[in-house]
Amino acid sequence: MESLYFGLAAALCWGVHDVCVRYVSQRVDVAAAMTVVLATGLVALLPFSLAEAAALPARSAALAGLAGLAFAGGTYSLYRAFAIGPLRLVAPIIGAYPILSLLWAAATGTPPTMLQWLAAATIVGGIALIAILSDESGAASGGRRAAMIWAGLGGTGFALTFALGQAASGGGGGLPAIFVARAAALAVVAGVVTLSPARGRFLRAPWLLLATMGVLDAAALGLVLLAGGLPHPEFASVTSSVFGVVTILLAWAFLRERMTLPQWGGVALVFAGIGYLGL
């Protein structure tokens, strides 16, 4: 149950974060925005993990570094997807990563039961239903297909992040592993910003909003990776995917994106699957 709660709390943080991404990604260079978000989250973690990060076992540090690289790729893909397509289309696709998380759990010796697989399939099915029923009117010039490709890459990046990060967290302490992962992601993105011809847009970034997004993002990632030391850490990855539903609901409430009755049925399926995993 603790893993489940960690995942749900992460979903709430990411849902709010991703609604902000929709606004930011259309106004600021993606790499520049990511730099501020990652740096803010790293600063927020400094008081809790800097000293311990130096003592992190080599294997855990390596896994955390790889998790950071995967996180940078997943986050970049998420920003690109949100800049192109409506939230109700791309958020569910990104949120389909739980299947990869469960496959990882099965491959590492903790196979889910058949009913747990069914619950995860229900969650992903509900997410897919929302995406399939999404119309194309909200897609920007990049097109529906490009948005879906970037969203798929984002989901894959996050699945790798959680698998590698939870392995690092379970082997050497949660917060130090999160700190190393975030530092690795920041190093990659900052390098891209340095070489980017669009870095001038960095000066016009909405700093306060990006800083808030950084704190939310760090909290969400930390919750999922900290579940690496709990029973069934894959449940945190599965339930954190509900961030897509949170994002859609917030977009419906505040951005006036339309939701149909069948799409609300997809939302109900998602929560039914989560409810079973929590039993």
mmCIF file of all heavy atoms in Angstrom, residues 71-104:
data_model
loop_
_atom_site.group_PDB
_atom_site.id
_atom_site.type_symbol
_atom_site.label_atom_id
_atom_site.label_comp_id
_atom_site.label_asym_id
_atom_site.label_seq_id
_atom_site.Cartn_x
_atom_site.Cartn_y
_atom_site.Cartn_z
ATOM 1 N N PHE A 71 15.775 9.955 -17.699
ATOM 2 C CA PHE A 71 14.821 10.977 -17.276
ATOM 3 C C PHE A 71 14.932 12.226 -18.155
ATOM 4 O O PHE A 71 13.920 12.832 -18.512
ATOM 5 C CB PHE A 71 15.066 11.332 -15.817
ATOM 6 C CG PHE A 71 14.049 12.278 -15.241
ATOM 7 C CD1 PHE A 71 12.734 11.888 -15.085
ATOM 8 C CD2 PHE A 71 14.420 13.554 -14.846
ATOM 9 C CE1 PHE A 71 11.791 12.752 -14.560
ATOM 10 C CE2 PHE A 71 13.484 14.423 -14.317
ATOM 11 C CZ PHE A 71 12.165 14.031 -14.172
ATOM 12 N N ALA A 72 16.159 12.587 -18.508
ATOM 13 C CA ALA A 72 16.344 13.743 -19.394
ATOM 14 C C ALA A 72 15.672 13.492 -20.741
ATOM 15 O O ALA A 72 14.969 14.360 -21.281
ATOM 16 C CB ALA A 72 17.832 14.030 -19.573
ATOM 17 N N GLY A 73 15.875 12.296 -21.288
ATOM 18 C CA GLY A 73 15.248 11.969 -22.564
ATOM 19 C C GLY A 73 13.734 11.916 -22.477
ATOM 20 O O GLY A 73 13.029 12.426 -23.352
ATOM 21 N N GLY A 74 13.221 11.302 -21.404
ATOM 22 C CA GLY A 74 11.778 11.218 -21.234
ATOM 23 C C GLY A 74 11.145 12.578 -21.047
ATOM 24 O O GLY A 74 10.086 12.874 -21.625
ATOM 25 N N THR A 75 11.794 13.431 -20.259
ATOM 26 C CA THR A 75 11.237 14.764 -20.009
ATOM 27 C C THR A 75 11.267 15.625 -21.264
ATOM 28 O O THR A 75 10.310 16.355 -21.562
ATOM 29 C CB THR A 75 12.014 15.465 -18.881
ATOM 30 O OG1 THR A 75 11.970 14.649 -17.702
ATOM 31 C CG2 THR A 75 11.411 16.815 -18.565
ATOM 32 N N TYR A 76 12.366 15.539 -22.016
ATOM 33 C CA TYR A 76 12.441 16.302 -23.268
ATOM 34 C C TYR A 76 11.321 15.871 -24.211
ATOM 35 O O TYR A 76 10.649 16.710 -24.833
ATOM 36 C CB TYR A 76 13.798 16.087 -23.924
ATOM 37 C CG TYR A 76 13.951 16.839 -25.232
ATOM 38 C CD1 TYR A 76 14.302 18.185 -25.234
ATOM 39 C CD2 TYR A 76 13.719 16.213 -26.459
ATOM 40 C CE1 TYR A 76 14.428 18.886 -26.432
ATOM 41 C CE2 TYR A 76 13.836 16.900 -27.651
ATOM 42 C CZ TYR A 76 14.192 18.237 -27.627
ATOM 43 O OH TYR A 76 14.298 18.931 -28.804
ATOM 44 N N SER A 77 11.108 14.563 -24.320
ATOM 45 C CA SER A 77 10.053 14.058 -25.201
ATOM 46 C C SER A 77 8.684 14.517 -24.721
ATOM 47 O O SER A 77 7.806 14.860 -25.528
ATOM 48 C CB SER A 77 10.104 12.523 -25.245
ATOM 49 O OG SER A 77 11.339 12.067 -25.762
ATOM 50 N N LEU A 78 8.481 14.545 -23.400
ATOM 51 C CA LEU A 78 7.216 15.018 -22.842
ATOM 52 C C LEU A 78 6.966 16.475 -23.219
ATOM 53 O O LEU A 78 5.871 16.846 -23.646
ATOM 54 C CB LEU A 78 7.221 14.844 -21.327
ATOM 55 C CG LEU A 78 5.987 15.313 -20.544
ATOM 56 C CD1 LEU A 78 5.739 14.399 -19.353
ATOM 57 C CD2 LEU A 78 6.151 16.746 -20.043
ATOM 58 N N TYR A 79 7.983 17.320 -23.055
ATOM 59 C CA TYR A 79 7.826 18.733 -23.395
ATOM 60 C C TYR A 79 7.483 18.898 -24.875
ATOM 61 O O TYR A 79 6.629 19.722 -25.237
ATOM 62 C CB TYR A 79 9.106 19.488 -23.068
ATOM 63 C CG TYR A 79 9.230 19.957 -21.636
ATOM 64 C CD1 TYR A 79 9.139 19.068 -20.574
ATOM 65 C CD2 TYR A 79 9.448 21.292 -21.331
ATOM 66 C CE1 TYR A 79 9.263 19.488 -19.262
ATOM 67 C CE2 TYR A 79 9.578 21.730 -20.023
ATOM 68 C CZ TYR A 79 9.483 20.809 -18.990
ATOM 69 O OH TYR A 79 9.598 21.234 -17.691
ATOM 70 N N ARG A 80 8.176 18.141 -25.733
ATOM 71 C CA ARG A 80 7.909 18.255 -27.166
ATOM 72 C C ARG A 80 6.485 17.803 -27.488
ATOM 73 O O ARG A 80 5.783 18.436 -28.285
ATOM 74 C CB ARG A 80 8.907 17.400 -27.952
ATOM 75 C CG ARG A 80 10.326 17.947 -27.970
ATOM 76 C CD ARG A 80 10.411 19.290 -28.690
ATOM 77 N NE ARG A 80 9.936 19.202 -30.068
ATOM 78 C CZ ARG A 80 10.708 18.912 -31.108
ATOM 79 N NH1 ARG A 80 11.998 18.670 -30.931
ATOM 80 N NH2 ARG A 80 10.205 18.869 -32.323
ATOM 81 N N ALA A 81 6.048 16.706 -26.858
ATOM 82 C CA ALA A 81 4.698 16.205 -27.109
ATOM 83 C C ALA A 81 3.646 17.212 -26.657
ATOM 84 O O ALA A 81 2.660 17.464 -27.362
ATOM 85 C CB ALA A 81 4.497 14.871 -26.386
ATOM 86 N N PHE A 82 3.854 17.815 -25.483
ATOM 87 C CA PHE A 82 2.882 18.762 -24.959
ATOM 88 C C PHE A 82 2.864 20.064 -25.763
ATOM 89 O O PHE A 82 1.856 20.768 -25.779
ATOM 90 C CB PHE A 82 3.181 19.067 -23.494
ATOM 91 C CG PHE A 82 2.682 17.997 -22.551
ATOM 92 C CD1 PHE A 82 2.133 16.832 -23.033
ATOM 93 C CD2 PHE A 82 2.775 18.173 -21.192
ATOM 94 C CE1 PHE A 82 1.686 15.840 -22.170
ATOM 95 C CE2 PHE A 82 2.322 17.190 -20.318
ATOM 96 C CZ PHE A 82 1.772 16.018 -20.809
ATOM 97 N N ALA A 83 3.982 20.390 -26.412
ATOM 98 C CA ALA A 83 4.017 21.589 -27.246
ATOM 99 C C ALA A 83 3.225 21.398 -28.531
ATOM 100 O O ALA A 83 2.750 22.367 -29.128
ATOM 101 C CB ALA A 83 5.463 21.950 -27.583
ATOM 102 N N ILE A 84 3.046 20.135 -28.968
ATOM 103 C CA ILE A 84 2.387 19.857 -30.236
ATOM 104 C C ILE A 84 0.912 19.522 -30.056
ATOM 105 O O ILE A 84 0.042 20.116 -30.690
ATOM 106 C CB ILE A 84 3.085 18.680 -30.960
ATOM 107 C CG1 ILE A 84 4.528 19.031 -31.276
ATOM 108 C CG2 ILE A 84 2.333 18.310 -32.235
ATOM 109 C CD1 ILE A 84 5.339 17.856 -31.783
ATOM 110 N N GLY A 85 0.630 18.532 -29.214
ATOM 111 C CA GLY A 85 -0.716 17.987 -29.153
ATOM 112 C C GLY A 85 -1.491 18.418 -27.929
ATOM 113 O O GLY A 85 -0.911 18.892 -26.949
ATOM 114 N N PRO A 86 -2.816 18.254 -27.941
ATOM 115 C CA PRO A 86 -3.626 18.559 -26.766
ATOM 116 C C PRO A 86 -3.290 17.604 -25.624
ATOM 117 O O PRO A 86 -2.892 16.452 -25.851
ATOM 118 C CB PRO A 86 -5.061 18.349 -27.256
ATOM 119 C CG PRO A 86 -4.938 17.419 -28.419
ATOM 120 C CD PRO A 86 -3.619 17.740 -29.066
ATOM 121 N N LEU A 87 -3.462 18.065 -24.404
ATOM 122 C CA LEU A 87 -3.107 17.249 -23.246
ATOM 123 C C LEU A 87 -3.899 15.949 -23.216
ATOM 124 O O LEU A 87 -3.398 14.916 -22.779
ATOM 125 C CB LEU A 87 -3.343 18.039 -21.958
ATOM 126 C CG LEU A 87 -2.492 19.299 -21.763
ATOM 127 C CD1 LEU A 87 -2.798 19.936 -20.419
ATOM 128 C CD2 LEU A 87 -1.014 18.974 -21.863
ATOM 129 N N ARG A 88 -5.150 15.986 -23.641
ATOM 130 C CA ARG A 88 -5.988 14.790 -23.560
ATOM 131 C C ARG A 88 -5.507 13.690 -24.497
ATOM 132 O O ARG A 88 -5.889 12.533 -24.340
ATOM 133 C CB ARG A 88 -7.440 15.138 -23.857
ATOM 134 C CG ARG A 88 -7.679 15.652 -25.262
ATOM 135 C CD ARG A 88 -9.150 16.001 -25.488
ATOM 136 N NE ARG A 88 -9.347 16.543 -26.816
ATOM 137 C CZ ARG A 88 -9.215 17.821 -27.124
ATOM 138 N NH1 ARG A 88 -8.857 18.679 -26.194
ATOM 139 N NH2 ARG A 88 -9.417 18.245 -28.357
ATOM 140 N N LEU A 89 -4.654 14.050 -25.486
ATOM 141 C CA LEU A 89 -4.097 13.048 -26.387
ATOM 142 C C LEU A 89 -2.763 12.526 -25.883
ATOM 143 O O LEU A 89 -2.571 11.310 -25.744
ATOM 144 C CB LEU A 89 -3.922 13.640 -27.789
ATOM 145 C CG LEU A 89 -3.138 12.774 -28.781
ATOM 146 C CD1 LEU A 89 -3.902 11.487 -29.068
ATOM 147 C CD2 LEU A 89 -2.886 13.543 -30.078
ATOM 148 N N VAL A 90 -1.823 13.422 -25.581
ATOM 149 C CA VAL A 90 -0.456 12.980 -25.288
ATOM 150 C C VAL A 90 -0.281 12.481 -23.863
ATOM 151 O O VAL A 90 0.509 11.559 -23.616
ATOM 152 C CB VAL A 90 0.559 14.098 -25.600
ATOM 153 C CG1 VAL A 90 0.545 14.443 -27.067
ATOM 154 C CG2 VAL A 90 0.293 15.343 -24.774
ATOM 155 N N ALA A 91 -1.005 13.050 -22.901
ATOM 156 C CA ALA A 91 -0.832 12.615 -21.507
ATOM 157 C C ALA A 91 -1.167 11.136 -21.316
ATOM 158 O O ALA A 91 -0.424 10.419 -20.635
ATOM 159 C CB ALA A 91 -1.661 13.493 -20.568
ATOM 160 N N PRO A 92 -2.262 10.627 -21.890
ATOM 161 C CA PRO A 92 -2.536 9.196 -21.723
ATOM 162 C C PRO A 92 -1.487 8.291 -22.351
ATOM 163 O O PRO A 92 -1.189 7.221 -21.821
ATOM 164 C CB PRO A 92 -3.897 9.026 -22.414
ATOM 165 C CG PRO A 92 -4.512 10.366 -22.371
ATOM 166 C CD PRO A 92 -3.374 11.322 -22.548
ATOM 167 N N ILE A 93 -0.922 8.699 -23.484
ATOM 168 C CA ILE A 93 0.083 7.854 -24.133
ATOM 169 C C ILE A 93 1.346 7.788 -23.275
ATOM 170 O O ILE A 93 1.915 6.714 -23.067
ATOM 171 C CB ILE A 93 0.395 8.390 -25.542
ATOM 172 C CG1 ILE A 93 -0.851 8.311 -26.420
ATOM 173 C CG2 ILE A 93 1.538 7.594 -26.177
ATOM 174 C CD1 ILE A 93 -0.696 8.977 -27.769
ATOM 175 N N ILE A 94 1.779 8.923 -22.779
ATOM 176 C CA ILE A 94 2.943 8.924 -21.888
ATOM 177 C C ILE A 94 2.653 8.085 -20.657
ATOM 178 O O ILE A 94 3.520 7.351 -20.157
ATOM 179 C CB ILE A 94 3.298 10.365 -21.488
ATOM 180 C CG1 ILE A 94 3.761 11.162 -22.713
ATOM 181 C CG2 ILE A 94 4.410 10.381 -20.432
ATOM 182 C CD1 ILE A 94 3.902 12.652 -22.456
ATOM 183 N N GLY A 95 1.420 8.145 -20.184
ATOM 184 C CA GLY A 95 1.059 7.418 -18.977
ATOM 185 C C GLY A 95 0.904 5.926 -19.158
ATOM 186 O O GLY A 95 0.553 5.217 -18.191
ATOM 187 N N ALA A 96 1.173 5.394 -20.343
ATOM 188 C CA ALA A 96 1.044 3.957 -20.572
ATOM 189 C C ALA A 96 2.295 3.175 -20.185
ATOM 190 O O ALA A 96 2.373 1.972 -20.412
ATOM 191 C CB ALA A 96 0.717 3.688 -22.043
ATOM 192 N N TYR A 97 3.271 3.827 -19.561
ATOM 193 C CA TYR A 97 4.522 3.150 -19.224
ATOM 194 C C TYR A 97 4.416 2.052 -18.149
ATOM 195 O O TYR A 97 5.356 1.278 -17.989
ATOM 196 C CB TYR A 97 5.588 4.165 -18.781
ATOM 197 C CG TYR A 97 5.242 4.964 -17.558
ATOM 198 C CD1 TYR A 97 5.302 4.414 -16.283
ATOM 199 C CD2 TYR A 97 4.860 6.284 -17.678
ATOM 200 C CE1 TYR A 97 4.976 5.155 -15.170
ATOM 201 C CE2 TYR A 97 4.537 7.038 -16.560
ATOM 202 C CZ TYR A 97 4.599 6.465 -15.317
ATOM 203 O OH TYR A 97 4.275 7.193 -14.216
ATOM 204 N N PRO A 98 3.298 1.915 -17.399
ATOM 205 C CA PRO A 98 3.256 0.862 -16.388
ATOM 206 C C PRO A 98 3.490 -0.544 -16.920
ATOM 207 O O PRO A 98 4.038 -1.395 -16.208
ATOM 208 C CB PRO A 98 1.838 0.988 -15.808
ATOM 209 C CG PRO A 98 1.498 2.399 -15.974
ATOM 210 C CD PRO A 98 2.119 2.798 -17.287
ATOM 211 N N ILE A 99 3.079 -0.803 -18.155
ATOM 212 C CA ILE A 99 3.304 -2.146 -18.705
ATOM 213 C C ILE A 99 4.800 -2.442 -18.751
ATOM 214 O O ILE A 99 5.244 -3.547 -18.409
ATOM 215 C CB ILE A 99 2.673 -2.261 -20.106
ATOM 216 C CG1 ILE A 99 1.144 -2.245 -20.003
ATOM 217 C CG2 ILE A 99 3.143 -3.536 -20.785
ATOM 218 C CD1 ILE A 99 0.572 -3.423 -19.234
ATOM 219 N N LEU A 100 5.607 -1.465 -19.167
ATOM 220 C CA LEU A 100 7.058 -1.663 -19.190
ATOM 221 C C LEU A 100 7.604 -1.858 -17.779
ATOM 222 O O LEU A 100 8.521 -2.658 -17.554
ATOM 223 C CB LEU A 100 7.741 -0.469 -19.860
ATOM 224 C CG LEU A 100 7.413 -0.255 -21.342
ATOM 225 C CD1 LEU A 100 8.089 1.012 -21.851
ATOM 226 C CD2 LEU A 100 7.850 -1.462 -22.166
ATOM 227 N N SER A 101 7.044 -1.150 -16.804
ATOM 228 C CA SER A 101 7.481 -1.298 -15.415
ATOM 229 C C SER A 101 7.189 -2.691 -14.883
ATOM 230 O O SER A 101 8.007 -3.304 -14.186
ATOM 231 C CB SER A 101 6.802 -0.246 -14.525
ATOM 232 O OG SER A 101 7.183 1.061 -14.899
ATOM 233 N N LEU A 102 6.021 -3.231 -15.226
ATOM 234 C CA LEU A 102 5.680 -4.575 -14.770
ATOM 235 C C LEU A 102 6.533 -5.627 -15.480
ATOM 236 O O LEU A 102 6.902 -6.651 -14.878
ATOM 237 C CB LEU A 102 4.199 -4.846 -15.004
ATOM 238 C CG LEU A 102 3.231 -4.073 -14.098
ATOM 239 C CD1 LEU A 102 1.784 -4.417 -14.454
ATOM 240 C CD2 LEU A 102 3.491 -4.362 -12.630
ATOM 241 N N LEU A 103 6.820 -5.402 -16.745
ATOM 242 C CA LEU A 103 7.711 -6.330 -17.451
ATOM 243 C C LEU A 103 9.091 -6.344 -16.808
ATOM 244 O O LEU A 103 9.718 -7.407 -16.671
ATOM 245 C CB LEU A 103 7.826 -5.921 -18.927
ATOM 246 C CG LEU A 103 6.605 -6.191 -19.803
ATOM 247 C CD1 LEU A 103 6.783 -5.536 -21.173
ATOM 248 C CD2 LEU A 103 6.370 -7.689 -19.949
ATOM 249 N N TRP A 104 9.569 -5.179 -16.393
ATOM 250 C CA TRP A 104 10.855 -5.101 -15.706
ATOM 251 C C TRP A 104 10.810 -5.871 -14.385
ATOM 252 O O TRP A 104 11.732 -6.604 -14.042
ATOM 253 C CB TRP A 104 11.229 -3.643 -15.464
ATOM 254 C CG TRP A 104 12.503 -3.465 -14.694
ATOM 255 C CD1 TRP A 104 12.635 -3.352 -13.329
ATOM 256 C CD2 TRP A 104 13.836 -3.418 -15.217
ATOM 257 N NE1 TRP A 104 13.959 -3.223 -12.979
ATOM 258 C CE2 TRP A 104 14.708 -3.254 -14.118
ATOM 259 C CE3 TRP A 104 14.357 -3.477 -16.504
ATOM 260 C CZ2 TRP A 104 16.086 -3.156 -14.282
ATOM 261 C CZ3 TRP A 104 15.731 -3.377 -16.660
ATOM 262 C CH2 TRP A 104 16.577 -3.226 -15.559
#
